[in-house]
Structure formats: structure tokens, C-alpha cells
């Protein structure tokens, strides 16, 4: 290959790579973790400081409470990092 052909070849390769990454990001799976519900139990946490709010979660979400976490629940440190408020 001539230098010019090589340049075209490597530039195309680079562009294809960028395109691939772009497509991957565009079609990335949507976030599926449930967000904090808007109801009587949770509305007051919407405007509260996150760390403050998280102190209350486990008064209801504990194994003996009214809404125990599912058995397969991931490590529960910092609830609101995963269960977004929106
Ligand atoms: C006063 C009790 C109480 C407190 C405090 C509480 N929850 Fe809940 N939560 C519930 C109950 C009851 C349910 C199940 C019924 C429902 O969907 O509202 C629930 C459901 C949920 C769900 C599942 C919603 C769904 O769509 O299935 C999430 C996520 C959640 N809570 C997160 C939190 C987080 C994070 C906190 C702390 C900021 C918190 N909860 C504090 C009672 C509480
Ligand atoms: C590392 C991320 C993460 C953290 C931190 C976390 N959760 Fe979860 N939670 C999940 C995932 C993932 C699920 C299961 C998928 C889903 O949302 O249905 C789940 C499920 C739940 C459910 C049941 C939702 C349903 O399907 O009815 C409740 C309630 C809940 N979490 C509350 C909490 C509380 C309260 C805390 C803090 C003590 C907490 N979570 C911390 C990721 C997290």
C-alpha cells in the first residue's frame, strides 16, 4: 500500500471505531432500577438531603418491617444512588 492508502485505511478504521462506540451508547440498555415512588411514604424524601433521607429508609425497609427488601437485593449502602428521585 502507498502511504496515502494507508492513511485512508487507518482513518476509516478509526471512524468505524468511533461509530461503533456511538451506536453502543445510543442503544445502551435503559436504566431499570425502580425510582423512589411518589406516595405518602416517600414524598417527604424528595426534597431532603440524600444522606439525611437514607437514614429513614430502613425503618420500613427492613426484614421485619412493612416493606422488606427482596432477597436478591444488591448491597444496600446508599439507597438513593440506585433508586433515583425523579
Ligand atoms: C414509612 C415507611 C417507608 C419509608 C420510610 C420508606 N419506604 Fe420505600 N416503600 C414503603 C412501602 C410500604 C413500599 C411498598 C408499597 C409501595 O410501592 O409504595 C415501598 C416501596 C419502595 C420502593 C419500590 C417502589 C416500586 O416501584 O416498587 C422503593 C425503591 C423504595 N420504597 C425506596 C425507599 C427509599 C430509598 C427510602 C428512603 C429514602 C424509603 N423507601 C423509605 C414504605 C417506606
Ligand atoms: C447498588 C444499587 C442499590 C442500592 C444501593 C439499593 N438498591 Fe434497592 N434495588 C436495587 C435493584 C437492582 C433492585 C431490583 C430491581 C428492581 O428495582 O426491581 C432493588 C429493589 C428494591 C426494592 C423492591 C422493588 C420492587 O421490585 O418492589 C426496594 C423496596 C428497594 N430496592 C429499596 C432499597 C432501599 C430502602 C435501599 C437502601 C437501604 C436500597 N434499595 C439500596 C438496587 C439498589
Amino acid at each position: 500500500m502507498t502511504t496515502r492508502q494507508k492513511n485512508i485505511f487507518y482513518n476509516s478504521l478509526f471512524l468505524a471505531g468511533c461509530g461503533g462506540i456511538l451506536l453502543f451508547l445510543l442503544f445502551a440498555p435503559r436504566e431499570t432500577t425502580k425510582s423512589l415512588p411518589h406516595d405518602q411514604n416517600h414524598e417527604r424524601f424528595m426534597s431532603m438531603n440524600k444522606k439525611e433521607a437514607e437514614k429513614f429508609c430502613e425503618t420500613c425497609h427492613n426484614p421485619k418491617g412493612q416493606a422488606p427488601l427482596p432477597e436478591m437485593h444488591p448491597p444496600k449502602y446508599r439507597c438513593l444512588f440506585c433508586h433515583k428521585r425523579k
Side-chain angles (χ1 to χ4, degrees):
M1 277 203 283
T2 64
T3 317
R4 192 181 136 73
Q5 279 171 327
K6 270 188 198 160
N7 276 340
I8 293 174
F9 177 70
Y10 284 115
N11 278 320
S12 317
L13 212 61
F14 174 73
L15 283 178
C18 290
I21 291 169
L22 190 69
L23 284 178
F24 174 76
L25 290 176
L26 281 175
F27 292 103
R30 309 232 301 119
E31 226 180 301
T32 52
T33 306
K34 287 183 171 152
S35 52
L36 195 63
H38 282 276
D39 62 18
Q40 269 193 332
N41 286 330
H42 304 90
E43 204 59 55
R44 67 193 177 112
F45 300 121
M46 293 293 166
S47 53
M48 207 183 270
N49 173 291
K50 279 193 192 176
K51 272 196 161 155
E52 278 303 308
E54 282 160 350
K55 287 181 193 156
F56 297 98
C57 308
E58 284 181 277
T59 53
C60 301
H61 296 287
N62 70 66
K64 295 196 174 111
Q66 48 175 310
L69 297 182
E71 210 147 279
M72 297 297 292
H73 194 276
K76 58 192 182 178
Y77 177 72
R78 301 301 318 258
C79 314
L80 295 175
F81 275 166
C82 300
H83 299 285
K84 298 257 162 56
R85 303 185 285 190
K86 40 188 172 184

